[in-house]
């Protein structure tokens, strides 16, 4: 069964890992958010692409969900001595990715080609696609500090500022990266992973052409919010600050124009009657690899019933 998944950061990566253990590599394509990308020390950093590829390459730091396993931080320690910018932790092995990506981008290679080259180097056989090769950047407009880049909001300010609005600069003129529309059209099913709807999935679905391609497909979403809170990150806080009571039902409503089915956690079983489309109620909290595999298999079985 050919599956195309939409994913952003850490939460999405866990389900992608599960799917990669259940499906043959040629059956899984992943369209990844690049709205979190930014230039830091002159380097083009693509955090969500790195989180997904590190996870599929078995190199991800299992504790933080981002960055590399068995990493060292000699560079950042030396930067500290110099009074440099150390708010965004760059590991030594991680740094090689940012250096080489930046070198290739500066030579004119599109981000999708760079990603494909890195996947080949790491032996990753699934198709990993940035949502676009154009510069689309998530901008968080906050009460306290005005407009912040995503990383300034999420890391530098620890997502404390109150969100007034979110927009994606450059998205009006962006186009899907090569292979993205085909990955959607050729999929037997599309899965919206349990990433942040506002800043991980919306940037993808709002790229001109992607939303309309998605509407033609059987799509399910796995709620990243369980009994009103997110497992990790600002998703629930963003719902609240956008004036919406955070819940799995709110997540359904956020995506409702696309969805054929919806997956919520056992804890939210009592709310499934509020979802007017087929639902799967199961364990969506993924603490172990087995949890990831079980959820992936349940989601695929569910897709096949739709
Ligand atoms: N997230 C943090 O909370 N603190 C960091 O210092 C940090 C560094 C970092 C370095 C490389 C990378 O690829 C990701 C990194 N992240 C860090 C995560 C990053 O902010 C992602 O955007 C989030 O995971 C959300 O997608």
């Amino acid at each position: 069964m050919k599956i195309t998944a939409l994913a952003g950061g850490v939460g999405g990566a866990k389900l992608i890992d599960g799917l990669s253990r259940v499906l043959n590599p040629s059956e899984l394509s992943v369209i990844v958010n690049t709205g979190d990308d930014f230039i830091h020390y002159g380097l083009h950093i693509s955090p969500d692409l790195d989180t997904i590829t590190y996870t599929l390459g078995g190199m991800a730091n299992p504790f933080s969900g981002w960055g590399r396993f068995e990493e060292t931080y000699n560079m950042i320690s030396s930067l500290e001595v110099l009074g440099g910018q150390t708010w965004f932790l760059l590991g030594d092995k991680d740094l090689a990715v940012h250096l080489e990506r930046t070198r290739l981008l500066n030579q004119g290679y599109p981000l999708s080609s760079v990603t494909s080259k890195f996947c080949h180097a790491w032996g990753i056989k699934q198709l990993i696609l940035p949502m676009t090769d154009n510069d689309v950047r998530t901008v968080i407009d906050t009460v306290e500090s005005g407009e912040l880049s995503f990383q300034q909001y999420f890391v530098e300010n620890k997502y404390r500022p109150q969100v007034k609005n979110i927009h994606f600069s450059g998205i009006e003129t962006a186009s899907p990266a090569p292979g993205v529309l085909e990955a959607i059209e050729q999929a037997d099913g599309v899965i919206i992973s349990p990433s942040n709807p506002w800043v991980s999935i919306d940037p993808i679905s709002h790229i001109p052409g992607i939303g309309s391609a998605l509407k033609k497909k059987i799509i399910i979403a796995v709620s990243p919010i369980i009994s009103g809170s997110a497992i990790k990150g600002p998703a629930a806080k963003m719902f609240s600050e956008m004036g919406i009571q955070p819940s799995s039902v709110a997540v359904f409503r956020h995506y409702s124009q696309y969805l054929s089915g919806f997956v919520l956690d056992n804890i939210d079983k009592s709310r499934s009657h509020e979802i007017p489309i087929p639902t799967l109620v199961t364990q969506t909290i993924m603490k172990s690899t087995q949890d990831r595999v079980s959820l992936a298999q349940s989601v695929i079985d569910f897709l096949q019933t739709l």
Side-chain angles (χ1 to χ4, degrees):
M1 181 180 198
K2 284 181 77 69
I3 297 285
T4 293
L6 307 186
V10 174
K14 289 181 179 176
L15 180 58
I16 300 308
D17 183 35
L19 290 167
S20 75
R21 296 168 187 271
V22 170
L23 296 166
N24 297 324
S26 61
E27 293 179 300
L28 177 59
S29 302
V30 189
I31 300 170
V32 184
N33 170 46
T34 55
D36 290 8
D37 289 19
F38 75 135
I39 304 297
H40 187 54
Y41 272 103
L43 300 176
H44 182 120
I45 295 178
S46 299
D48 286 352
L49 279 171
D50 292 346
T51 295
I52 296 295
T53 49
Y54 288 168
T55 299
L56 290 179
M59 304 175 278
N61 177 324
F63 307 105
S64 61
W66 50 265
R68 298 273 282 257
F69 185 43
E70 290 173 342
E71 181 63 279
T72 54
Y73 294 92
N74 298 306
M75 186 285 288
I76 211 91
S77 310
S78 307
L79 215 47
E80 182 89 51
V81 171
L82 296 169
Q85 292 213 329
T86 57
W87 61 272
F88 195 77
L89 272 182
L90 291 174
D92 299 326
K93 289 190 274 189
D94 193 36
L95 184 58
V97 174
H98 311 313
L99 288 167
E100 182 60 3
R101 176 181 284 127
T102 304
R103 183 182 75 85
L104 292 170
L105 289 171
N106 291 343
Q107 282 192 354
Y109 291 95
L111 184 57
S112 48
S113 306
V114 177
T115 304
S116 167
K117 181 173 165 41
F118 287 6
C119 285
H120 180 73
W122 287 323
I124 294 170
K125 305 241 180 313
Q126 292 82 6
L127 181 59
I128 310 303
L129 299 164
M131 63 190 193
T132 179
D133 280 336
N134 304 120
D135 283 347
V136 173
R137 298 289 172 264
T138 298
V139 178
I140 311 288
D141 191 3
T142 69
V143 169
E144 300 86 338
S145 317
E147 292 197 347
L148 299 172
S149 75
F150 178 79
Q151 301 303 338
Q152 284 175 317
Y153 163 77
F154 182 79
V155 180
E156 195 168 24
N157 288 276
K158 299 182 173 45
Y159 56 91
R160 287 196 188 110
Q162 184 177 336
V163 176
K164 276 197 318 195
N165 195 14
I166 298 168
H167 72 270
F168 311 120
S169 75
I171 200 155
E172 299 78 16
T173 53
S175 46
V180 164
L181 294 182
E182 294 80 354
I184 295 172
E185 284 148 14
Q186 290 163 18
D188 297 312
V190 175
I191 297 173
I192 297 177
S193 64
S195 297
N196 185 315
W198 301 97
V199 290
S200 291
I201 303 300
D202 281 358
I204 301 174
S205 64
H206 286 57
I207 297 275
I210 291 185
S212 45
L214 289 173
K215 284 178 184 164
K216 298 178 186 135
K217 303 304 293 184
I218 298 281
I219 304 186
I220 62 150
V222 178
S223 179
I225 292 189
I226 299 172
S227 70
S229 38
I231 301 292
K232 185 176 181 131
K237 182 172 179 285
M238 285 180 167
F239 270 105
S240 300
E241 290 166 359
M242 302 295 256
I244 302 168
Q245 176 72 23
S247 71
S248 48
V249 178
V251 172
F252 162 73
R253 291 190 184 123
H254 193 84
Y255 295 136
S256 59
Q257 60 179 312
Y258 300 113
L259 295 186
S260 323
F262 191 66
V263 183
L264 26 75
D265 190 83
N266 293 321
I267 298 172
D268 282 334
K269 183 176 177 58
S270 63
R271 307 223 45 187
S272 61
H273 69 280
E274 298 172 62
I275 311 281
I277 60 172
T279 56
L280 167 68
V281 178
T282 185
Q283 179 188 322
T284 62
I285 296 173
M286 296 172 274
K287 288 194 169 59
S288 66
T289 300
Q290 186 48 50
D291 290 345
R292 298 177 180 194
V293 170
S294 304
L295 179 58
Q297 190 57 64
S298 305
V299 162
I300 289 168
D301 296 345
F302 178 48
L303 261 173
Q304 284 171 328
T305 67
L306 298 176

